[in-house]
Amino acid sequence: VLDRKLKPYARLERMRVSAAAAAFRETPSLRGHLVGVRYDFADFAAFKVEYRNLDRAFGVDSRGLATQLSYMF
């Protein structure tokens, strides 16, 4: 029963911002990934834990662990 409630996931991200795009001039290009697992502990509620790694073209890179509790009503 527990194995059907645990759902692993992963995501790759890549965003290239053109220097010619005036509206996004302050937005750095980035690439990264995240991996995590979701646990559905009720029909309408879940808990997620994920590790994120984002590398920005300039500025501060981001690495860390994130959690989320979600529910639907």
Side-chain angles (χ1 to χ4, degrees):
V1 175
L2 186 62
D3 61 337
R4 288 191 298 180
K5 294 186 175 209
L6 285 175
K7 298 174 184 164
Y9 60 92
R11 182 172 77 205
L12 297 175
E13 296 181 326
R14 183 174 181 177
M15 182 173 69
R16 294 175 130 179
V17 179
S18 171
F24 299 105
R25 193 165 291 152
E26 299 298 320
T27 304
S29 296
L30 66 86
R31 63 185 201 178
H33 65 274
L34 66 84
V35 293
V37 64
R38 173 185 168 134
Y39 174 61
D40 295 327
F41 60 89
D43 288 340
F44 299 106
F47 179 71
K48 292 189 336 183
V49 176
E50 65 186 30
Y51 174 75
R52 299 175 182 176
N53 180 7
L54 294 176
D55 295 322
R56 290 176 169 79
F58 60 88
V60 179
D61 293 344
S62 173
R63 290 172 183 77
L65 192 66
T67 60
Q68 179 185 40
L69 178 64
S70 61
Y71 58 91
M72 182 174 68
F73 55 95

